[in-house]
Amino acid sequence: MGSHDGYRNRYPLDFTRFDASDVESMSQKYTNKSKLAEYLNSVYYGDFVLSEIIKRFENSDSIVIYFSDHGEEVYDRSAFVGHGNLSRFVVEIPFIVYVSDAFKTKHASLYQRIKEAQNQRYMNDDLIHTLLDVAGVSMRDYEPKRSLFAKDKSLLQSRIRIIGNENFSEDYDRLK
Ligand SMILES: [Zn+2]
C-alpha cells in the first residue's frame, strides 16, 4: 500500500519518527499536522523498505530501478489529501536508479549515461524503452531516443507530456 491514505496504517510503530510538532513551520490553515506527520512516517518507512531491497543487490552486477505508481497531494495547495485530483503533486513521482559497484565497472558507458540523466525531463509512458536500453535488447518498435538514458536527448527535451484521461487532459509543462 506504500504511502496511500490511511497513512498511520502504512508503517510499524517503530518507524514513528515525525509528529505534529515537526511540521510546525507549515502554517497553512488547512494542514492537519498530525496527518501530515503520519504521511512523512509512511515515506520514511518506504525509504527503509527500498534500502533493504537495494542491500540485496549491493554485491552483484545489479541495477535497481524504483518509482511510485503516482504521487500524493498532501495539503500542498488546499485541504485535499490523496491522488484523485490531477495536479503536479499527483503526477510527479520519485524515480530512483541504484547501480552496484560491479555494475559501474562492467557497464561504464551505460553508467555514464545514467549519471547524465539525473535531471532529465521524462514521462514514464516511455519506460519500456529505458528498460530495453538497460537490458541491451533491440526489437521492433524500440526507439532508443525514448530511453531516459538516451545519448541523443532531442526527443526527451521536446516531447509534449500529456497527462490525464479521456475526460480531462493537460500538458504537464503548463500545469501550475
Ligand atoms: Zn497507488
Side-chain angles (χ1 to χ4, degrees):
M1 290 295 286
S3 290
H4 277 202
D5 201 358
Y7 308 128
R8 81 180 78 173
N9 300 321
R10 306 294 170 234
Y11 55 93
L13 286 178
D14 298 2
F15 283 81
T16 308
R17 177 165 175 171
F18 305 104
D19 63 29
S21 67
D22 294 308
V23 290
E24 216 159 4
S25 62
M26 304 198 66
S27 59
Q28 295 101 316
K29 57 184 180 304
Y30 44 75
T31 299
N32 176 333
K33 292 176 184 172
S34 298
K35 187 160 182 160
L36 181 52
E38 289 162 0
Y39 173 68
L40 295 174
N41 288 329
S42 76
V43 172
Y44 176 57
Y45 181 60
D47 286 351
F48 166 75
V49 171
L50 180 58
S51 72
E52 289 297 306
I53 292 169
I54 286 173
K55 273 184 201 163
R56 293 170 189 234
F57 295 94
E58 274 174 347
N59 298 316
S60 57
D61 175 13
S62 298
I63 179 169
V64 177
I65 297 177
Y66 167 86
F67 58 89
S68 303
D69 55 335
H70 53 79
E72 186 83 341
E73 188 170 329
V74 188
Y75 308 119
D76 290 292
R77 51 178 192 159
S78 69
F80 178 75
V81 167
H83 49 271
N85 277 0
L86 193 63
S87 74
R88 67 165 52 250
F89 306 105
V90 167
V91 299
E92 289 175 356
I93 55 170
F95 189 106
I96 296 170
V97 179
Y98 165 84
V99 294
S100 66
D101 289 339
F103 184 100
K104 291 178 193 173
T105 307
K106 289 186 180 170
H107 315 283
S109 68
L110 176 55
Y111 173 52
Q112 189 60 35
R113 289 197 284 124
I114 291 169
K115 283 200 294 184
E116 286 167 7
Q118 189 172 7
N119 297 307
Q120 179 60 53
R121 75 196 283 280
Y122 201 63
M123 189 157 115
N124 261 17
D125 59 344
D126 273 344
L127 191 75
I128 184 67
H129 300 281
T130 301
L131 300 181
L132 290 169
D133 182 11
V134 168
V137 172
S138 196
M139 56 183 281
R140 190 170 59 85
D141 298 334
Y142 166 51
E143 295 181 53
K145 281 184 183 182
R146 291 188 181 276
S147 168
L148 173 59
F149 311 131
K151 267 191 201 121
D152 177 349
K153 300 189 186 306
S154 54
L155 181 68
L156 300 184
Q157 297 293 27
S158 63
R159 73 161 288 205
I160 296 170
R161 297 178 289 180
I162 300 295
I163 58 170
N165 55 38
E166 60 278 359
N167 300 317
F168 178 79
S169 62
E170 189 72 79
D171 178 346
Y172 166 78
D173 292 289
R174 289 165 185 253
L175 274 183
K176 294 278 186 307

